[in-house]
Amino acid sequence: ANQLVIIDLDDKPDNPATDADLRFFTEVVVNFATYTERSVGGHGVHIVAVGALPDGLKGKRTGHVEIYSAERYLTFSGNTNLDGLRFVPPGIETVWEVANCQKGIDQLFGKLAGSVFGHRPAP
């Protein structure tokens, strides 16, 4: 069943994202054409999409990236101005609608579970 999936990308001054994280964040922001807002702290983003995580999973946190669909709370900022964030390319369009992004969710979850962050699984 489709539900809301939240992607939280963090780049906090006291715990900054690495250059590799920032490149990954750029890819995520560009590939998800759905509602995206600046986090309350002002340095990260929340991406809200319709979709579902793999069966039985409620979420995953890997480094500076969280993706979840249940048992979390989020304070919305409503601030869709992403100008000046280190990982957002200039001129990215504001999207107000929450869109179905199942393909992107599957790809992102696969990357988080795979070799992008942490150790590569043994063959």
Side-chain angles (χ1 to χ4, degrees), residues 18 23 34-35 41 44 52 56 59-60 74-75 78-79 84-85 96 112-113:
T18 66
R23 285 191 297 275
T34 188
Y35 179 81
K60 181 166 183 58
L74 175 72
T75 302
N79 179 0
L85 290 173
W96 290 99
L112 293 179

Side-chain angles (χ1 to χ4, degrees), residues 28-50:
V28 172
V29 167
V30 168
N31 287 331
F32 278 82
T34 188
Y35 179 81
T36 303
E37 66 168 29
R38 188 181 290 259
S39 60
V40 174
H43 299 282
V45 298
H46 304 141
I47 298 169
V48 183
V50 173

Side-chain angles (χ1 to χ4, degrees), residues 23-101:
R23 285 191 297 275
F24 184 68
F25 289 5
T26 301
E27 178 185 326
V28 172
V29 167
V30 168
N31 287 331
F32 278 82
T34 188
Y35 179 81
T36 303
E37 66 168 29
R38 188 181 290 259
S39 60
V40 174
H43 299 282
V45 298
H46 304 141
I47 298 169
V48 183
V50 173
L53 298 184
D55 285 345
L57 294 175
K58 295 172 182 166
K60 181 166 183 58
R61 180 187 181 116
T62 306
H64 294 269
V65 179
E66 289 180 80
I67 181 170
Y68 50 87
S69 64
E71 298 183 9
R72 291 285 189 271
Y73 69 90
L74 175 72
T75 302
F76 283 93
S77 70
N79 179 0
T80 58
N81 180 351
L82 307 180
D83 292 346
L85 290 173
R86 296 196 305 155
F87 53 89
V88 175
I92 195 159
E93 284 188 42
T94 298
V95 179
W96 290 99
E97 296 81 22
V98 176
N100 188 311
C101 297

